[in-house]
Amino acid sequence: AHRKTPETPFQRYLHALGDERAAQALGARRRTVKSWRLGDRLPRPTEAVRIVARSPITLADIYGEHDEGRRVSLDDGKRTHNVCAKLTD
């Protein structure tokens, strides 16, 4: 079993909230939240946008600091979006 210390702000947020509460708040399955919390995988870009919309978490909290020229491409089936490291209102 994994016993990692949460490393990213996103992992710390999930750890503090708990898998079940985080799953409900973020619209994800509990097992998916656990995988994110343990660092086994990162949210897909479409999941990350939903997380940012429903929590105090930013894309930088999930994926790390923004590198110049690095963008996350979102393809929702209709159009492609470029998402920078942080979404603002």
Side-chain angles (χ1 to χ4, degrees):
H2 293 245
R3 290 290 177 221
K4 295 181 190 175
T5 302
E7 297 175 8
T8 66
F10 178 55
Q11 288 173 296
R12 288 191 294 271
Y13 174 78
L14 296 177
H15 180 76
L17 205 55
D19 292 350
E20 188 63 40
R21 285 179 54 207
Q24 291 173 358
L26 302 177
R29 293 184 3 242
R30 190 185 60 76
R31 178 64 185 106
T32 300
V33 169
K34 181 179 178 183
S35 292
W36 296 339
R37 178 179 50 79
L38 294 175
D40 292 338
R41 69 180 197 84
L42 291 172
R44 292 184 184 104
T46 52
E47 294 170 322
V49 170
R50 187 175 67 239
I51 292 164
V52 169
R54 295 182 179 195
S55 73
I57 294 298
T58 67
L59 289 177
D61 293 335
I62 297 170
Y63 296 118
E65 291 302 316
H66 178 65
D67 294 328
E68 281 305 314
R70 184 178 131 213
R71 292 182 177 272
V72 178
S73 178
L74 291 182
D75 184 356
D76 64 6
K78 297 177 187 137
R79 57 197 171 287
T80 300
H81 309 273
N82 285 322
V83 179
C84 293
K86 184 174 180 180
L87 295 178
T88 57
D89 292 335

Coordinates of all heavy atoms in Angstrom, one line a residue:
A1 N 0.8 -1.2 0.0 CA 0.0 0.0 0.0 C 0.9 1.2 0.0 O 1.9 1.3 0.6 CB -0.9 0.0 1.2
H2 N 0.4 2.3 -0.7 CA 1.1 3.5 -0.7 C 1.0 4.3 0.6 O -0.1 4.4 1.2 CB 0.5 4.4 -1.8 CG 0.7 3.9 -3.2 ND1 1.5 4.5 -4.1 CD2 0.3 2.8 -3.8 CE1 1.5 3.8 -5.2 NE2 0.8 2.8 -5.1
R3 N 2.0 4.8 1.1 CA 2.0 5.7 2.2 C 2.8 6.9 2.0 O 3.7 7.3 2.7 CB 2.5 5.0 3.5 CG 1.6 3.9 4.0 CD 0.3 4.4 4.6 NE -0.5 3.4 5.0 CZ -1.8 3.4 4.8 NH1 -2.4 4.4 4.2 NH2 -2.6 2.4 5.2
K4 N 2.5 7.6 0.9 CA 3.2 8.8 0.5 C 2.7 10.0 1.2 O 1.5 10.1 1.5 CB 3.0 9.1 -1.0 CG 3.6 8.1 -2.0 CD 3.3 8.5 -3.4 CE 3.7 7.4 -4.4 NZ 3.3 7.8 -5.7
T5 N 3.6 11.0 1.5 CA 3.1 12.2 2.0 C 2.6 13.1 0.8 O 3.3 13.1 -0.2 CB 4.3 13.0 2.6 OG1 4.9 12.2 3.7 CG2 3.9 14.3 3.2
P6 N 1.4 13.7 1.0 CA 0.9 14.5 -0.2 C 2.0 15.5 -0.6 O 2.5 16.3 0.3 CB -0.3 15.1 0.4 CG -0.8 14.2 1.5 CD 0.5 13.7 2.1
E7 N 2.3 15.6 -1.9 CA 3.3 16.4 -2.3 C 2.8 17.7 -3.0 O 3.5 18.8 -2.8 CB 4.2 15.7 -3.4 CG 4.9 14.5 -2.7 CD 5.7 13.7 -3.7 OE1 5.8 14.1 -4.9 OE2 6.1 12.6 -3.3
T8 N 1.8 17.7 -3.7 CA 1.3 18.8 -4.4 C 0.1 19.5 -3.6 O -0.5 18.8 -2.8 CB 0.7 18.5 -5.8 OG1 -0.4 17.6 -5.7 CG2 1.8 17.7 -6.7
P9 N -0.2 20.7 -3.9 CA -1.3 21.4 -3.2 C -2.6 20.6 -3.5 O -3.5 20.4 -2.6 CB -1.4 22.8 -3.8 CG 0.0 23.0 -4.2 CD 0.6 21.7 -4.7
F10 N -2.7 20.0 -4.7 CA -3.9 19.2 -5.0 C -4.0 18.0 -4.2 O -5.0 17.7 -3.6 CB -3.9 18.9 -6.5 CG -5.0 18.0 -7.0 CD1 -6.3 18.4 -6.8 CD2 -4.8 16.9 -7.7 CE1 -7.4 17.6 -7.2 CE2 -5.9 16.1 -8.1 CZ -7.2 16.5 -7.9
Q11 N -2.9 17.3 -4.0 CA -2.9 16.1 -3.2 C -3.2 16.4 -1.8 O -3.9 15.7 -1.1 CB -1.5 15.3 -3.3 CG -1.3 14.7 -4.7 CD 0.1 14.1 -4.8 OE1 1.0 14.8 -4.8 NE2 0.2 12.8 -4.9
R12 N -2.6 17.5 -1.3 CA -2.9 17.9 0.1 C -4.4 18.2 0.3 O -4.9 17.9 1.4 CB -2.0 19.1 0.5 CG -0.5 18.7 0.7 CD 0.3 19.8 1.3 NE 0.4 21.0 0.5 CZ 1.4 21.1 -0.4 NH1 2.3 20.2 -0.6 NH2 1.4 22.2 -1.1
Y13 N -4.9 18.9 -0.7 CA -6.4 19.2 -0.6 C -7.2 17.9 -0.5 O -8.1 17.8 0.3 CB -6.7 20.1 -1.9 CG -8.2 20.3 -2.0 CD1 -8.8 21.3 -1.3 CD2 -9.0 19.6 -2.9 CE1 -10.2 21.6 -1.4 CE2 -10.3 19.9 -3.1 CZ -10.9 20.9 -2.3 OH -12.3 21.1 -2.5
L14 N -6.9 17.0 -1.4 CA -7.7 15.7 -1.4 C -7.5 15.0 -0.1 O -8.4 14.4 0.5 CB -7.2 14.8 -2.6 CG -7.5 15.3 -4.0 CD1 -6.9 14.4 -5.0 CD2 -8.9 15.6 -4.2
H15 N -6.2 15.0 0.4 CA -6.0 14.3 1.7 C -6.8 14.9 2.8 O -7.4 14.2 3.6 CB -4.5 14.4 2.0 CG -4.1 13.7 3.3 ND1 -4.0 12.3 3.4 CD2 -3.8 14.2 4.5 CE1 -3.6 12.0 4.7 NE2 -3.5 13.2 5.3
A16 N -6.8 16.2 2.9 CA -7.5 16.9 3.9 C -9.1 16.7 3.8 O -9.7 16.6 4.8 CB -7.2 18.4 3.9
L17 N -9.6 16.6 2.6 CA -11.0 16.5 2.4 C -11.4 15.0 2.6 O -12.6 14.8 3.1 CB -11.3 16.9 1.0 CG -12.7 17.4 0.7 CD1 -13.2 18.5 1.6 CD2 -12.9 17.9 -0.7
G18 N -10.6 14.1 2.3 CA -11.0 12.7 2.3 C -11.5 12.2 1.0 O -12.2 13.0 0.3
D19 N -11.3 11.0 0.6 CA -11.7 10.5 -0.7 C -13.2 10.6 -1.0 O -13.6 11.0 -2.0 CB -11.2 9.0 -0.9 CG -9.7 8.9 -0.9 OD1 -9.0 9.9 -1.0 OD2 -9.3 7.7 -0.8
E20 N -14.0 10.2 0.0 CA -15.5 10.2 -0.3 C -16.0 11.6 -0.5 O -16.7 11.9 -1.4 CB -16.2 9.5 0.9 CG -17.7 9.3 0.6 CD -17.9 8.4 -0.6 OE1 -17.2 7.4 -0.7 OE2 -18.9 8.7 -1.3
R21 N -15.6 12.6 0.4 CA -16.1 14.0 0.3 C -15.5 14.6 -0.9 O -16.2 15.4 -1.6 CB -15.7 14.8 1.6 CG -16.6 14.4 2.8 CD -16.2 15.2 4.0 NE -16.2 16.6 3.8 CZ -15.4 17.5 4.5 NH1 -14.6 17.1 5.4 NH2 -15.5 18.8 4.2
A22 N -14.3 14.3 -1.2 CA -13.7 14.9 -2.4 C -14.4 14.4 -3.7 O -14.6 15.2 -4.6 CB -12.2 14.6 -2.5
A23 N -14.7 13.1 -3.7 CA -15.4 12.5 -4.9 C -16.7 13.2 -5.1 O -17.0 13.6 -6.2 CB -15.5 11.0 -4.7
Q24 N -17.5 13.4 -4.0 CA -18.8 14.1 -4.2 C -18.6 15.5 -4.6 O -19.3 16.0 -5.5 CB -19.5 14.0 -2.8 CG -20.0 12.6 -2.5 CD -20.5 12.5 -1.1 OE1 -20.6 13.5 -0.3 NE2 -21.0 11.4 -0.7
A25 N -17.6 16.2 -4.0 CA -17.4 17.7 -4.3 C -16.9 17.9 -5.7 O -17.3 18.9 -6.4 CB -16.5 18.3 -3.3
L26 N -16.1 16.9 -6.2 CA -15.5 17.1 -7.5 C -16.1 16.4 -8.7 O -15.7 16.5 -9.8 CB -14.0 16.7 -7.4 CG -13.2 17.5 -6.4 CD1 -11.8 16.9 -6.3 CD2 -13.2 19.0 -6.6
G27 N -17.2 15.6 -8.3 CA -17.9 14.9 -9.4 C -17.1 13.7 -10.0 O -17.1 13.5 -11.2
A28 N -16.4 13.0 -9.1 CA -15.5 11.9 -9.6 C -15.8 10.7 -8.7 O -16.4 10.8 -7.7 CB -14.0 12.3 -9.5
R29 N -15.3 9.5 -9.2 CA -15.5 8.3 -8.4 C -14.4 8.3 -7.3 O -13.4 8.9 -7.4 CB -15.3 7.1 -9.3 CG -16.3 6.9 -10.3 CD -16.2 5.6 -11.2 NE -15.1 4.8 -10.8 CZ -14.1 4.4 -11.6 NH1 -14.0 5.0 -12.8 NH2 -13.1 3.6 -11.2
R30 N -14.8 7.7 -6.2 CA -13.9 7.6 -5.0 C -12.5 7.0 -5.4 O -11.5 7.5 -5.0 CB -14.5 6.9 -3.9 CG -13.8 7.0 -2.6 CD -14.3 6.1 -1.5 NE -14.3 4.7 -1.8 CZ -13.2 3.9 -1.8 NH1 -12.1 4.4 -1.4 NH2 -13.3 2.7 -2.1
R31 N -12.5 6.0 -6.2 CA -11.3 5.3 -6.6 C -10.4 6.2 -7.4 O -9.2 6.2 -7.3 CB -11.6 4.0 -7.3 CG -10.4 3.3 -7.8 CD -9.5 2.8 -6.6 NE -8.3 2.2 -7.1 CZ -7.1 2.7 -7.0 NH1 -6.9 3.9 -6.5 NH2 -6.0 2.1 -7.5
T32 N -11.1 7.0 -8.3 CA -10.3 8.0 -9.1 C -9.7 9.0 -8.2 O -8.5 9.4 -8.4 CB -11.3 8.7 -10.1 OG1 -11.9 7.7 -10.9 CG2 -10.6 9.7 -10.9
V33 N -10.4 9.5 -7.2 CA -9.8 10.5 -6.3 C -8.7 9.9 -5.5 O -7.6 10.6 -5.3 CB -10.9 11.0 -5.3 CG1 -10.3 11.8 -4.2 CG2 -12.0 11.9 -6.0
K34 N -8.8 8.7 -5.1 CA -7.7 8.0 -4.4 C -6.5 7.9 -5.3 O -5.3 8.2 -4.8 CB -8.1 6.6 -4.0 CG -7.1 5.8 -3.2 CD -7.5 4.5 -2.8 CE -6.4 3.7 -2.1 NZ -6.9 2.4 -1.7
S35 N -6.6 7.6 -6.6 CA -5.5 7.6 -7.5 C -4.8 8.9 -7.6 O -3.6 9.0 -7.7 CB -5.9 7.1 -8.9 OG -6.3 5.8 -8.8
W36 N -5.6 10.0 -7.7 CA -5.1 11.3 -7.7 C -4.3 11.7 -6.4 O -3.2 12.2 -6.5 CB -6.2 12.4 -7.9 CG -6.9 12.3 -9.2 CD1 -6.5 11.7 -10.4 CD2 -8.2 12.8 -9.4 NE1 -7.5 11.8 -11.3 CE2 -8.5 12.5 -10.8 CE3 -9.1 13.5 -8.7 CZ2 -9.8 12.9 -11.4 CZ3 -10.3 13.9 -9.2 CH2 -10.6 13.6 -10.6
R37 N -4.9 11.3 -5.3 CA -4.3 11.7 -4.0 C -3.0 10.9 -3.8 O -2.0 11.5 -3.3 CB -5.3 11.3 -2.9 CG -4.8 11.5 -1.5 CD -5.7 11.2 -0.4 NE -6.3 9.9 -0.5 CZ -5.8 8.7 -0.1 NH1 -4.5 8.7 0.4 NH2 -6.4 7.6 -0.2
L38 N -2.9 9.7 -4.2 CA -1.7 8.9 -4.1 C -0.6 9.3 -5.1 O 0.5 8.8 -5.0 CB -2.0 7.4 -4.2 CG -2.9 6.9 -3.0 CD1 -3.2 5.4 -3.3 CD2 -2.2 7.0 -1.7
G39 N -1.0 10.0 -6.1 CA -0.1 10.4 -7.2 C 0.1 9.3 -8.2 O 1.1 9.3 -9.0
D40 N -0.8 8.3 -8.2 CA -0.7 7.3 -9.2 C -1.0 7.8 -10.6 O -0.6 7.2 -11.6 CB -1.7 6.1 -8.9 CG -1.3 5.4 -7.6 OD1 -0.1 5.5 -7.2 OD2 -2.1 4.7 -7.0
R41 N -1.9 8.8 -10.7 CA -2.2 9.4 -12.0 C -2.7 10.8 -11.7 O -3.1 11.2 -10.6 CB -3.2 8.6 -12.8 CG -4.6 8.5 -12.3 CD -5.5 7.7 -13.2 NE -6.9 7.9 -13.0 CZ -7.6 8.9 -13.6 NH1 -7.0 9.8 -14.3 NH2 -8.9 9.0 -13.3
L42 N -2.7 11.6 -12.8 CA -3.2 13.0 -12.8 C -4.5 13.0 -13.4 O -4.9 12.2 -14.3 CB -2.2 13.9 -13.6 CG -0.8 14.1 -12.9 CD1 0.1 14.9 -13.9 CD2 -1.0 14.9 -11.6
P43 N -5.3 14.0 -13.1 CA -6.6 14.2 -13.7 C -6.4 14.5 -15.2 O -5.5 15.2 -15.6 CB -7.2 15.4 -13.0 CG -6.5 15.5 -11.7 CD -5.2 15.0 -12.0
R44 N -7.3 14.0 -16.0 CA -7.4 14.4 -17.5 C -7.7 15.9 -17.5 O -8.3 16.4 -16.6 CB -8.4 13.6 -18.2 CG -8.1 12.1 -18.3 CD -9.2 11.4 -19.1 NE -9.0 10.0 -19.2 CZ -9.6 9.1 -18.5 NH1 -10.6 9.5 -17.7 NH2 -9.3 7.9 -18.5
P45 N -7.3 16.6 -18.6 CA -7.6 18.0 -18.7 C -9.0 18.4 -18.5 O -9.3 19.3 -17.8 CB -7.1 18.4 -20.1 CG -6.0 17.4 -20.4 CD -6.5 16.1 -19.7
T46 N -10.0 17.6 -19.0 CA -11.4 17.9 -18.8 C -11.8 17.7 -17.3 O -12.6 18.5 -16.8 CB -12.3 17.0 -19.7 OG1 -12.0 15.7 -19.5 CG2 -12.2 17.4 -21.2
E47 N -11.2 16.8 -16.7 CA -11.4 16.6 -15.2 C -10.8 17.7 -14.4 O -11.4 18.2 -13.5 CB -10.8 15.3 -14.7 CG -11.5 14.0 -15.3 CD -10.7 12.7 -15.0 OE1 -9.4 12.8 -15.0 OE2 -11.3 11.7 -14.8
A48 N -9.6 18.2 -14.9 CA -9.0 19.3 -14.2 C -9.8 20.6 -14.2 O -9.9 21.3 -13.2 CB -7.6 19.5 -14.8
V49 N -10.4 20.8 -15.4 CA -11.2 22.0 -15.5 C -12.4 22.0 -14.6 O -12.7 22.9 -13.9 CB -11.6 22.2 -17.0 CG1 -12.7 23.3 -17.1 CG2 -10.4 22.6 -17.9
R50 N -13.0 20.8 -14.4 CA -14.1 20.6 -13.5 C -13.6 20.8 -12.1 O -14.3 21.4 -11.3 CB -14.7 19.2 -13.7 CG -16.0 19.0 -12.9 CD -16.7 17.7 -13.2 NE -15.9 16.6 -12.7 CZ -15.4 15.6 -13.5 NH1 -15.7 15.6 -14.8 NH2 -14.7 14.7 -13.0
I51 N -12.5 20.3 -11.7 CA -11.9 20.4 -10.4 C -11.7 21.9 -10.1 O -12.1 22.4 -9.0 CB -10.6 19.6 -10.3 CG1 -10.9 18.1 -10.3 CG2 -9.8 20.0 -9.0 CD1 -9.7 17.2 -10.6
V52 N -11.1 22.6 -11.0 CA -10.8 24.0 -10.8 C -12.1 24.8 -10.6 O -12.2 25.7 -9.7 CB -10.0 24.6 -12.0 CG1 -10.0 26.1 -11.9 CG2 -8.6 24.0 -12.0
A53 N -13.2 24.4 -11.3 CA -14.5 25.1 -11.2 C -15.2 24.8 -9.9 O -15.9 25.7 -9.4 CB -15.4 24.7 -12.4
R54 N -14.9 23.7 -9.3 CA -15.6 23.3 -8.1 C -14.8 23.4 -6.8 O -15.3 22.9 -5.7 CB -16.1 21.8 -8.2 CG -17.1 21.6 -9.3 CD -17.5 20.2 -9.4 NE -18.5 19.9 -10.4 CZ -19.2 18.8 -10.5 NH1 -19.1 17.9 -9.6 NH2 -20.1 18.7 -11.5
S55 N -13.6 23.9 -6.9 CA -12.7 23.9 -5.7 C -11.8 25.1 -5.7 O -11.7 25.9 -6.7 CB -11.9 22.6 -5.6 OG -10.9 22.7 -6.6
P56 N -11.0 25.4 -4.6 CA -10.0 26.4 -4.6 C -8.7 26.1 -5.4 O -7.8 26.8 -5.4 CB -9.8 26.7 -3.2 CG -10.0 25.4 -2.5 CD -11.2 24.7 -3.3
I57 N -8.7 24.9 -6.0 CA -7.5 24.4 -6.6 C -7.4 25.0 -8.0 O -8.3 25.3 -8.7 CB -7.7 22.8 -6.8 CG1 -7.6 22.2 -5.4 CG2 -6.6 22.2 -7.7 CD1 -6.4 22.4 -4.6
T58 N -6.1 25.3 -8.4 CA -5.8 25.8 -9.7 C -5.1 24.7 -10.6 O -4.7 23.7 -10.0 CB -4.8 27.0 -9.6 OG1 -3.5 26.5 -9.2 CG2 -5.3 28.1 -8.7
L59 N -5.0 24.9 -11.9 CA -4.3 23.9 -12.7 C -2.9 23.8 -12.3 O -2.3 22.7 -12.3 CB -4.4 24.3 -14.2 CG -5.8 24.2 -14.8 CD1 -5.8 24.7 -16.3 CD2 -6.3 22.7 -14.7
A60 N -2.2 24.9 -11.8 CA -0.9 24.8 -11.3 C -0.8 23.9 -10.1 O 0.2 23.2 -9.9 CB -0.3 26.2 -11.0
D61 N -1.8 23.9 -9.2 CA -1.8 23.1 -8.1 C -1.9 21.6 -8.5 O -1.4 20.7 -7.8 CB -3.1 23.3 -7.2 CG -3.0 24.7 -6.5 OD1 -1.9 25.3 -6.3 OD2 -4.1 25.2 -6.2
I62 N -2.5 21.3 -9.6 CA -2.6 19.9 -10.1 C -1.4 19.5 -10.9 O -0.8 18.5 -10.6 CB -3.9 19.8 -11.0 CG1 -5.1 20.1 -10.2 CG2 -3.9 18.4 -11.6 CD1 -6.4 20.2 -11.0
Y63 N -1.0 20.3 -11.9 CA 0.1 19.9 -12.8 C 1.4 20.5 -12.5 O 2.4 20.2 -13.2 CB -0.3 20.3 -14.2 CG -1.6 19.6 -14.7 CD1 -2.7 20.3 -15.1 CD2 -1.6 18.2 -14.9 CE1 -3.8 19.6 -15.5 CE2 -2.7 17.6 -15.4 CZ -3.8 18.3 -15.7 OH -4.9 17.6 -16.1
G64 N 1.5 21.4 -11.5 CA 2.8 22.1 -11.3 C 2.8 23.5 -11.9 O 1.9 23.9 -12.6
E65 N 3.9 24.2 -11.7 CA 4.0 25.5 -12.1 C 4.0 25.6 -13.7 O 4.5 24.7 -14.3 CB 5.3 26.2 -11.6 CG 5.2 26.5 -10.1 CD 4.0 27.3 -9.7 OE1 3.8 28.3 -10.3 OE2 3.4 27.0 -8.7
H66 N 3.5 26.7 -14.2 CA 3.4 26.9 -15.6 C 4.8 27.1 -16.2 O 5.6 27.9 -15.8 CB 2.5 28.1 -15.9 CG 2.4 28.4 -17.4 ND1 1.8 27.6 -18.3 CD2 2.8 29.5 -18.1 CE1 1.8 28.1 -19.5 NE2 2.4 29.3 -19.4
D67 N 5.1 26.3 -17.3 CA 6.3 26.4 -18.0 C 6.0 27.2 -19.3 O 4.9 27.0 -19.9 CB 6.9 25.1 -18.5 CG 7.4 24.3 -17.3 OD1 7.8 24.9 -16.3 OD2 7.3 23.0 -17.3
E68 N 6.8 28.2 -19.7 CA 6.6 29.0 -20.9 C 6.3 28.0 -22.1 O 7.1 27.1 -22.3 CB 7.7 29.9 -21.1 CG 7.7 31.2 -20.3 CD 6.4 31.9 -20.4 OE1 5.9 32.2 -21.5 OE2 5.8 32.3 -19.3
G69 N 5.3 28.3 -22.8 CA 5.0 27.5 -24.0 C 4.3 26.2 -23.7 O 3.8 25.6 -24.7
R70 N 4.2 25.8 -22.5 CA 3.5 24.5 -22.2 C 2.0 24.8 -22.0 O 1.7 25.6 -21.1 CB 4.1 23.9 -20.9 CG 3.5 22.5 -20.6 CD 4.2 21.9 -19.4 NE 3.2 21.5 -18.5 CZ 3.2 21.5 -17.2 NH1 4.3 21.9 -16.6 NH2 2.2 21.1 -16.5
R71 N 1.2 24.1 -22.7 CA -0.2 24.3 -22.5 C -0.9 22.9 -22.5 O -0.4 21.9 -23.0 CB -0.8 25.0 -23.7 CG -0.4 26.5 -23.7 CD -1.1 27.2 -24.9 NE -0.8 28.6 -24.9 CZ -1.5 29.5 -24.2 NH1 -2.5 29.2 -23.5 NH2 -1.1 30.8 -24.3
V72 N -2.0 22.8 -21.8 CA -2.8 21.6 -21.7 C -3.9 21.8 -22.8 O -4.6 22.7 -22.7 CB -3.4 21.4 -20.3 CG1 -4.2 20.2 -20.3 CG2 -2.3 21.4 -19.3
S73 N -3.9 20.9 -23.7 CA -4.9 20.9 -24.7 C -6.2 20.1 -24.3 O -6.1 19.0 -23.9 CB -4.4 20.4 -26.0 OG -5.3 20.4 -27.0
L74 N -7.3 20.8 -24.4 CA -8.6 20.1 -24.1 C -9.3 19.9 -25.4 O -9.5 20.8 -26.2 CB -9.4 21.0 -23.2 CG -9.0 21.2 -21.8 CD1 -10.0 22.1 -21.1 CD2 -8.8 19.9 -21.1
D75 N -9.8 18.7 -25.6 CA -10.6 18.3 -26.7 C -11.9 17.8 -26.2 O -11.9 16.6 -25.7 CB -9.9 17.3 -27.6 CG -10.7 17.0 -28.9 OD1 -11.8 17.5 -29.0 OD2 -10.1 16.3 -29.7
D76 N -12.9 18.6 -26.3 CA -14.2 18.1 -25.7 C -15.1 17.5 -26.8 O -16.3 17.2 -26.6 CB -15.0 19.3 -25.0 CG -15.4 20.4 -26.0 OD1 -15.2 20.2 -27.2 OD2 -15.9 21.4 -25.5
G77 N -14.5 17.2 -28.0 CA -15.2 16.6 -29.0 C -15.8 17.6 -30.0 O -16.1 17.3 -31.1
K78 N -15.9 18.8 -29.6 CA -16.5 19.9 -30.4 C -15.4 20.9 -30.9 O -15.4 21.3 -32.0 CB -17.6 20.6 -29.7 CG -18.8 19.7 -29.3 CD -19.8 20.5 -28.5 CE -20.8 19.5 -28.0 NZ -21.2 19.7 -26.6
R79 N -14.6 21.2 -30.0 CA -13.5 22.2 -30.3 C -12.4 21.9 -29.3 O -12.5 21.3 -28.3 CB -14.0 23.6 -30.1 CG -14.6 23.9 -28.8 CD -15.4 25.2 -28.8 NE -16.2 25.5 -27.6 CZ -17.2 24.8 -27.2 NH1 -17.7 23.8 -27.9 NH2 -17.8 25.1 -26.1
T80 N -11.2 22.4 -29.6 CA -10.0 22.3 -28.8 C -9.8 23.6 -28.1 O -9.9 24.6 -28.6 CB -8.8 21.9 -29.7 OG1 -9.1 20.7 -30.3 CG2 -7.6 21.7 -28.8
H81 N -9.5 23.5 -26.8 CA -9.3 24.6 -25.9 C -7.8 24.5 -25.5 O -7.3 23.5 -25.2 CB -10.2 24.6 -24.7 CG -11.6 24.4 -25.0 ND1 -12.4 25.4 -25.3 CD2 -12.4 23.3 -25.1 CE1 -13.7 24.9 -25.6 NE2 -13.6 23.6 -25.4
N82 N -7.2 25.7 -25.3 CA -5.9 25.7 -24.7 C -6.1 26.3 -23.3 O -6.7 27.3 -23.1 CB -4.9 26.6 -25.4 CG -4.4 26.0 -26.7 OD1 -4.2 24.8 -26.7 ND2 -4.3 26.7 -27.7
V83 N -5.6 25.6 -22.3 CA -5.7 25.9 -20.9 C -4.4 26.3 -20.3 O -3.5 25.4 -20.4 CB -6.4 24.8 -20.1 CG1 -6.6 25.2 -18.7 CG2 -7.7 24.5 -20.7
C84 N -4.2 27.5 -19.8 CA -3.0 27.9 -19.2 C -2.9 27.3 -17.8 O -3.8 26.6 -17.3 CB -2.8 29.4 -19.2 SG -2.6 30.1 -20.8
A85 N -1.8 27.5 -17.1 CA -1.6 26.9 -15.8 C -2.6 27.3 -14.7 O -2.8 26.6 -13.8 CB -0.2 27.2 -15.3
K86 N -3.3 28.5 -14.9 CA -4.2 28.9 -13.9 C -5.4 29.5 -14.6 O -5.3 30.3 -15.5 CB -3.5 29.9 -13.0 CG -4.4 30.4 -11.8 CD -3.6 31.3 -10.9 CE -4.5 31.7 -9.7 NZ -3.8 32.6 -8.8
L87 N -6.6 29.1 -14.1 CA -7.8 29.8 -14.6 C -8.2 30.8 -13.7 O -8.1 30.7 -12.5 CB -8.9 28.7 -14.7 CG -8.8 27.6 -15.7 CD1 -10.0 26.7 -15.7 CD2 -8.6 28.2 -17.1
T88 N -8.7 31.9 -14.2 CA -9.2 33.0 -13.3 C -10.6 33.4 -13.7 O -11.0 33.1 -14.8 CB -8.3 34.3 -13.5 OG1 -8.3 34.7 -14.9 CG2 -6.9 34.0 -13.0
D89 N -11.3 34.0 -12.8 CA -12.7 34.4 -13.1 C -12.7 35.5 -14.1 O -11.9 36.4 -14.1 CB -13.4 34.8 -11.8 CG -13.5 33.6 -10.9 OD1 -13.6 32.4 -11.4 OD2 -13.6 33.8 -9.7

